[in-house]
Amino acid sequence: MFHGLYLYWKSFVWPLLIVGLASAEVCDENSQYQCEEYGKCIPIMDRCNGTPDCKYGSDESFAECKAHLNDSVADMFYCASGILMIDEQLCNNVRDCPDGSDELPQLCEYEPFGLKFKDLNIQGKCRSSEIECLPGECVPKNKKCDGRIDCSNGRDESLELCLDSCRDCFKCANGVAINSELVCDNKIDCLDGSDELRNVCQGNSKSWIETLPAICIEPPDGKHRFTDNTIFHMRKETRFVYPNQPAELQCQSNNQTAWNVCMKDGSWNRELPSCTTMPKIVNRNPDTNGTNGCRMDWYNNETMIIYRLQESDQTKPIVPPITVGEVRFGCEYGNTFLPHIYEGSSLFCDFEETWNWSQENFNPRCTKLCRLEDLNIINSLTPTCLNSKDGSKFNCDDEYSLIPYTTVKFGCTEGFKRLTDNEYSVTCNENGIWEGLQELCLKQDKLCTYECGRNEATMFSANGVSTNSHHASWVVPIYTNPNDTQYSFACAGNLIELNIVLTAGHCVYGLKAGQIRVGHTGNRSQTIHESFYVVKHAESYQGYYPTHPYHDVGIIILDKRIRLRQDLHVVCLPYYSPTPLNLDQSFSNVLSWSADGYLMSVTGAITEPINKTGDVTINLSSNGKLCPGDSGAGLIVSCRTSVLQSDQCLVGVVSRALRPGEHGTMCSGEVIAASITGVYIQAWIEEVKNSFSRCSIS
Ligand SMILES: *[C@@H]1O[C@H](CO)[C@@H](O)[C@H](O)[C@H]1NC(C)=O
Ligand SMILES: *[C@@H]1O[C@H](CO)[C@@H](O)[C@H](O)[C@H]1NC(C)=O
Ligand SMILES: *[C@@H]1O[C@H](CO)[C@@H](O)[C@H](O)[C@H]1NC(C)=O
Ligand SMILES: *[C@@H]1O[C@H](CO)[C@@H](O)[C@H](O)[C@H]1NC(C)=O
Ligand SMILES: *[C@@H]1O[C@H](CO)[C@@H](O)[C@H](O)[C@H]1NC(C)=O
Ligand SMILES: *[C@@H]1O[C@H](CO)[C@@H](O)[C@H](O)[C@H]1NC(C)=O
Ligand SMILES: *[C@@H]1O[C@H](CO)[C@@H](O)[C@H](O)[C@H]1NC(C)=O
Ligand SMILES: *[C@@H]1O[C@H](CO)[C@@H](O)[C@H](O)[C@H]1NC(C)=O
C-alpha cells in the first residue's frame, strides 16, 4: 500500500546529520530511517506515514515527505506536505494529514461525499475587506496568497488559506498550485522551497542540481528564543523552522515577543526585535528618590550641575539632597536638559519636597539626544518614532524627544515602493547614537526603490497644448542668478530622484550652487519663492564646454528632497530596461513650459546621427517649437523598466536649436538634444549620485 514511498528512500542521505553525530545510532539503511533530531533509528515504514515517530517529527516534515506528482498512486492522494493517504481519508471529518490539508474547505467543497466544512474564520475582528493574521492584526484580503508574506505570522500565505483545490497539480507545501514547468527548474518558486526538494526532483528532472533546503535557525546570539507557540524542528542541538513557517521569538532581556516567518533563502522576513529597551530604574538613593529632598531620579553627578540661588556664592554647585529653596540646573557639554521647557529656569523645591510650578512627575535630567538630521539622511526611508516606555508613536520632529532607548521604525518614503516585507528599526543608545542607522543607510537600495514613470496611459497633448502636470510630475523649473543680482527662470529640469535633477549642461555651466534654485513641480512661476529648493551641488558633464557643445547634460543635487504627492513620480531612467532602447526613429515627447507657465508637451521624431556624438536631433511634429527656456527639457520615450511594466523613460535633454531661430523668434522645430543613454553619461550620473548619498553619520 505504501509502495509509492519506496521510490526514493534509497538515495536518501543527510550530509549535515551523519557528519559529527557522535552518539548517533548506526541505522540499517535498508530498513531504517534516521531521525534528524538525535539520530535515532525508526523503521522505514514509519517515515511519512502521518504519525510523528521522531521527537520533533522530522520523519513527517514536508522537507522529508514532499513527493513528485508522477509518483501518484491510484486511490490515494497526497497531503500538502507530501504524505500519502487513501482517498477515504479525504474530507471524512477526521484530520488525517498532519498538516490538516485533507479537511480544508478548499478541497472538501468539491468532494461529493464532502463534509459540511466549517467556514474558515478569515475575517476575525477585521473589516470584511481584510483578513486577520493575529487577533487585531489585519491585512487587506488581496494580500492573501500573493507570494509575499504580509502577516507577521505569515497567515496570509499559509496552507490554511492558500490550499488550491486542484487535484493532480503540483502544490507547494502551503497549498499554492504552481505550473509543472516551474518544478525542479533550479529556481525556487514556492515560498517554502518545496518545488526544488530532493524527493521532488531527484530522478524527475535531468538538469536539476541539488541544493539543501534552507532553514531559519533560532538566533544564536542568545538574545532571542523561540517561544512555546513555535512549532520548530531540531537538528542536533539546533532549533529551526523551514521556509514559510512562522516562529514566535522572545527577547530574553525583556520578554518582548514578535512573530516572524522564515524566508526561502533562510533569512527572517522581519527584522528581529532589537531587545534593547529602557532598563527599569529603581532609585534606592534616599538623596534623590524623594526621601531626603526633591525627587530627581535621573541625577548624575557627571552630567548635571545644580546651583542654589539663595546661596551667597551662586556659582558653586551643590549636590543632592535638594531641600527647600530655589535652584537652577545646568548640563555638562553635549548633554541637554529635560524637560526642555525648564532649561535655564529657576525651580523651587517646596516644603513638602516636591517641585513647585512644574508638571507632574517632573524629573530633571541631563542626557545625550540622538539627532534628527541623522534620521533624514536616508532618502528612501521615512522614520516613525516610538516612545521607549510604551511604544506609542510621536512626531520625530520634536528633537527633545529623541532620548536614549527611543526606537525608530522605517517605511518607504512617498514615491518609493517596497522591495521587501522586512521592517527595519534603529534605537538611540545612551551615547546619543542611532544604533544600526549606518548599516540601514547602506542597504537602503535593497529596501525601497523609486517608483518612476508609472502613470496611467498618458495622453500628452500633441502640439503644444497644456497638459495636466500630474502627467509629468518630474518636470521642475530651474532659476539662476549668474550676476548675483536676482534669480530668473532659466531652464527646465527633470527629477530622476527626489533630490536629483537632470538638465542641460549649459544651464549650470560655470555657476555656483548658490546661484541656482529649483522650483516646484507643476506650473512655472516667473519669480522665485521662499519655498523653492536650495541647491547643494551642480555640475555639467566633463565632456561639455560651451565651445564644444556635445554631451550638454547637467546635474543638480538639491539640499533636501522635493515632496511629491503619493500619485506623483520621478521619471524613469532607461538603464534598467531589459531590452535595449533604440532611439533612432523613435517618437518622443518633450515636456516643458508654455510662455505663460503651464506644463506643455510637444512630440517629435528622434534621429541619431551616424557619427554618434551622443547628440540626437528631434524633428517636432505639428508645428511644435522649442524656445531658449526649454533647454534641459526631457525627451521622454516609452520604455520597459521590467518585463511587465511599461513606463516612460528620460533619454535626453534639450540642448540647442539645429539652426538659427526662424524669423528672429529664437524658437525652432528642429532641435538637438543630448542623449543620456550612453554608458559614460550613465556612469557619471551614478558617480555624482553616490557621492551625495552619504551614509556616514557624524
Ligand atoms: C511526469 O508526468 C508527465 C505527465 O504525465 C510526463 O509528461 C512526464 O514525462 C513525467 N515525468 C517523469 C519524470 O516521469
Ligand atoms: C520573563 O518571563 C519569565 C517567566 O515568565 C520571568 O521569570 C522573568 O522575570 C521575565 N523577565 C523579564 C525581564 O521580564
Ligand atoms: C528611597 O530610598 C530609600 C532607601 O533605599 C527607601 O527607604 C525609600 O523608600 C525610597 N523612597 C522612595 C520614594 O522610593
Ligand atoms: C561622581 O560620583 C562618583 C561616586 O560618588 C565619584 O567617584 C566621582 O568623582 C563624582 N564625579 C564628579 C564629577 O563629581
Ligand atoms: C550678467 O552680466 C553679463 C555681463 O555683465 C551680461 O552680459 C548678462 O546679460 C547678465 N545676465 C543677467 C541675467 O543679467
Ligand atoms: C497649473 O495651471 C493650471 C491652469 O491654470 C491649473 O489648472 C493647475 O491647477 C495648476 N497646477 C498647479 C500645480 O498649480
Ligand atoms: C557629426 O556629424 C555632423 C553632421 O553629420 C557634423 O556636423 C559634426 O561635426 C560631426 N561631429 C563630430 C564630433 O564628428
Ligand atoms: C522634419 O519633418 C518634416 C516633415 O515631416 C520633413 O519635411 C523634414 O525633412 C524633417 N527634417 C529632418 C531634419 O528630418
Side-chain angles (χ1 to χ4, degrees):
M1 168 168 156
F2 287 104
H3 169 255
L5 295 177
Y6 292 127
L7 292 174
Y8 35 80
W9 70 265
K10 265 202 172 117
S11 56
F12 186 76
V13 200
W14 281 107
L16 281 173
L17 185 85
I18 286 164
V19 178
L21 252 187
S23 61
E25 296 174 50
V26 178
C27 304
D28 170 14
E29 65 163 40
N30 291 318
S31 65
Q32 290 183 314
Y33 165 77
Q34 187 156 40
C35 292
E36 236 194 330
E37 294 88 336
Y38 299 107
K40 181 179 142 193
C41 305
I42 62 166
I44 195 83
M45 294 290 285
D46 290 344
R47 176 189 160 274
C48 301
N49 67 349
T51 312
D53 298 282
C54 298
K55 184 152 186 217
Y56 293 97
S58 64
D59 55 324
E60 303 295 325
S61 74
F62 78 88
E64 178 59 37
C65 302
K66 192 74 185 162
H68 197 278
L69 273 183
N70 284 35
D71 303 328
S72 66
V73 183
D75 305 327
M76 303 195 74
F77 73 97
Y78 285 104
C79 305
S81 61
I83 290 162
L84 203 52
M85 292 281 165
I86 54 170
D87 273 351
E88 285 73 37
Q89 289 170 304
L90 189 63
C91 305
N92 65 348
N93 273 320
V94 179
R95 191 178 146 128
D96 299 290
C97 292
D99 62 12
S101 55
D102 56 323
E103 301 298 324
L104 281 172
Q106 295 95 319
L107 268 184
C108 298
E109 193 176 3
Y110 299 102
E111 282 301 303
F113 310 110
L115 68 170
K116 289 189 245 108
F117 57 85
K118 47 176 203 315
D119 196 21
L120 278 176
N121 190 0
I122 297 178
Q123 187 185 332
K125 290 201 167 66
C126 298
R127 282 177 284 185
S128 59
S129 60
E130 294 174 326
I131 55 176
E132 189 174 57
C133 307
L134 286 163
E137 184 194 336
C138 306
V139 302
K141 243 181 198 157
N142 61 11
K143 305 252 174 181
K144 182 164 91 69
C145 313
D146 66 351
R148 281 171 59 124
I149 296 162
D150 296 287
C151 286
S152 62
N153 64 348
R155 189 182 186 211
D156 58 316
E157 302 298 325
S158 66
L159 174 67
E160 174 202 17
L161 300 191
C162 298
L163 181 66
D164 195 293
S165 58
C166 65
R167 270 200 79 170
D168 288 322
C169 56
F170 183 86
K171 295 188 194 91
C172 303
N174 73 343
V176 170
I178 63 166
N179 192 320
S180 60
E181 283 159 22
L182 300 176
V183 183
C184 309
D185 65 350
N186 293 321
K187 186 178 160 293
I188 293 176
D189 298 286
C190 293
L191 279 174
D192 42 52
S194 51
D195 56 322
E196 301 294 326
L197 288 171
R198 166 195 282 256
N199 293 338
V200 173
C201 298
Q202 196 158 66
N204 284 319
S205 167
K206 282 197 198 83
S207 55
W208 179 76
I209 305 159
E210 175 167 15
T211 46
L212 287 173
I215 56 173
C216 292
I217 61 172
E218 186 175 46
D221 59 16
K223 285 200 273 184
H224 306 87
R225 300 272 295 166
F226 289 156
T227 69
D228 293 345
N229 294 328
T230 305
I231 301 168
F232 57 83
H233 304 272
M234 196 139 168
R235 191 176 288 168
K236 290 175 73 188
E237 296 301 308
T238 304
R239 313 205 292 174
F240 67 93
V241 293
Y242 282 113
N244 205 42
Q245 292 187 342
E248 192 184 39
L249 292 146
Q250 180 169 40
C251 285
Q252 293 305 284
S253 53
N254 59 8
N255 287 355
Q256 179 196 350
T257 61
W259 281 93
N260 220 318
V261 184
C262 182
M263 303 294 282
K264 60 190 176 190
D265 64 357
S267 65
W268 291 105
N269 181 42
R270 289 160 184 248
E271 195 191 18
L272 298 173
S274 74
C275 296
T276 47
T277 47
M278 189 157 52
K280 282 234 160 50
I281 41 163
V282 185
N283 186 356
R284 298 209 183 285
N285 182 350
D287 289 346
T288 56
N289 74 359
T291 301
N292 298 342
C294 271
R295 192 178 186 108
M296 34 196 317
D297 287 324
W298 293 102
Y299 177 74
N300 175 340
N301 70 341
E302 304 280 345
T303 56
M304 188 181 276
I305 316 155
I306 312 165
Y307 302 101
R308 188 180 283 283
L309 295 182
Q310 296 95 324
E311 211 81 352
S312 50
D313 182 2
Q314 287 187 11
T315 57
K316 192 165 164 278
I318 58 160
V319 293
I322 304 300
T323 49
V324 63
E326 209 174 344
V327 293
R328 210 176 53 228
F329 292 94
C331 295
E332 287 292 348
Y333 178 76
N335 291 276
T336 305
F337 184 80
L338 295 180
H340 187 250
I341 48 165
Y342 295 111
E343 188 182 8
S345 359
S346 46
L347 289 149
F348 193 72
C349 180
D350 67 19
F351 293 97
E352 281 143 23
E353 278 161 1
T354 54
W355 295 105
N356 214 340
W357 316 307
S358 60
Q359 69 203 52
E360 231 177 293
N361 300 324
F362 171 82
N363 241 319
R365 175 179 188 182
C366 286
T367 181
K368 293 249 176 21
L369 293 175
C370 277
R371 297 184 342 150
L372 175 64
E373 304 98 271
D374 290 346
L375 293 179
N376 291 331
I377 65 166
I378 312 185
N379 258 348
S380 60
L381 301 177
T382 298
T384 306
C385 291
L386 303 178
N387 194 304
S388 55
K389 286 205 201 84
D390 53 6
S392 61
K393 288 184 191 172
F394 65 87
N395 185 352
C396 302
D397 290 340
D398 177 5
E399 56 183 313
Y400 298 108
S401 318
L402 304 179
I403 56 173
Y405 299 103
T406 298
T407 297
V408 177
K409 282 206 294 197
F410 288 91
C412 295
T413 300
E414 275 186 17
F416 287 79
K417 78 172 171 219
R418 272 168 79 131
L419 295 177
T420 147
D421 289 316
N422 294 11
E423 282 186 351
Y424 289 91
S425 60
V426 300
T427 305
C428 181
N429 72 14
E430 302 259 12
N431 297 319
I433 309 273
W434 294 110
E435 254 169 37
L437 190 64
Q438 176 108 18
E439 294 75 11
L440 189 59
C441 183
L442 291 170
K443 68 178 172 193
Q444 60 174 307
D445 290 349
K446 298 199 178 65
L447 314 179
C448 304
T449 186
Y450 275 102
E451 184 139 76
C452 63
R454 201 70 45 99
N455 291 305
E456 70 289 344
T458 302
M459 300 306 291
F460 286 111
S461 54
N463 52 353
V465 183
S466 63
T467 179
N468 186 332
S469 61
H470 285 205
H471 290 163
S473 54
W474 57 81
V475 185
V476 287
I478 296 168
Y479 300 79
T480 60
N481 181 8
N483 296 347
D484 292 323
T485 49
Q486 68 175 58
Y487 291 92
S488 57
F489 172 74
C491 287
N494 306 274
L495 286 170
I496 56 165
E497 294 196 2
L498 294 178
N499 60 337
I500 305 180
V501 177
L502 275 194
T503 183
H506 72 262
C507 296
V508 297
Y509 185 83
L511 295 179
K512 296 194 279 282
Q515 294 172 313
I516 307 168
R517 288 279 189 281
V518 170
H520 298 284
T521 67
N523 298 337
R524 166 178 73 87
S525 78
Q526 277 303 339
T527 51
I528 83 156
H529 294 277
E530 286 280 294
S531 62
F532 281 8
Y533 294 88
V534 171
V535 171
K536 180 149 69 176
H537 174 82
E539 64 179 80
S540 50
Y541 182 61
Q542 308 96 311
Y544 167 82
Y545 299 99
T547 52
H548 180 82
Y550 308 105
H551 306 294
D552 186 6
V553 185
I555 196 166
I556 295 173
I557 312 285
L558 304 181
D559 195 36
K560 57 180 189 198
R561 330 186 270 261
I562 277 193
R563 290 185 76 88
L564 285 186
R565 294 211 322 265
Q566 192 74 71
D567 55 336
L568 304 183
H569 298 284
V570 300
V571 68
C572 304
L573 292 179
Y575 309 133
Y576 314 108
S577 171
T579 48
L581 271 179
N582 180 12
L583 290 188
D584 203 21
Q585 306 305 326
S586 59
F587 208 61
S588 120
N589 280 292
V590 182
L591 285 133
S592 186
W593 280 275
S594 66
D596 42 10
Y598 302 138
L599 190 66
M600 314 253 304
S601 133
V602 289
T603 57
I606 296 181
T607 317
E608 254 185 302
I610 295 143
N611 62 4
K612 300 247 174 199
T613 55
D615 284 347
V616 295
T617 55
I618 321 149
N619 191 2
L620 300 177
S621 352
S622 316
N623 283 324
K625 299 258 188 297
L626 290 170
C627 307
D630 295 319
S631 287
L635 265 59
I636 309 295
V637 304
S638 47
C639 60
R640 290 198 171 280
T641 45
S642 74
V643 178
L644 297 175
Q645 191 70 49
S646 186
D647 264 312
Q648 293 149 8
C649 285
L650 177 71
V651 295
V653 287
V654 168
S655 169
R656 59 197 182 275
L658 188 58
R659 1 176 177 282
E662 297 150 32
H663 318 300
T665 59
M666 299 185 68
C667 294
S668 175
E670 285 171 306
V671 294
I672 297 178
S675 158
I676 62 156
T677 57
V679 289
Y680 294 111
I681 293 268
Q682 178 191 349
W684 168 70
I685 293 172
E686 286 302 307
E687 193 190 308
V688 178
K689 251 166 70 170
N690 291 340
S691 62
F692 285 91
S693 60
R694 72 185 168 104
C695 275
S696 54
I697 292 146
S698 50

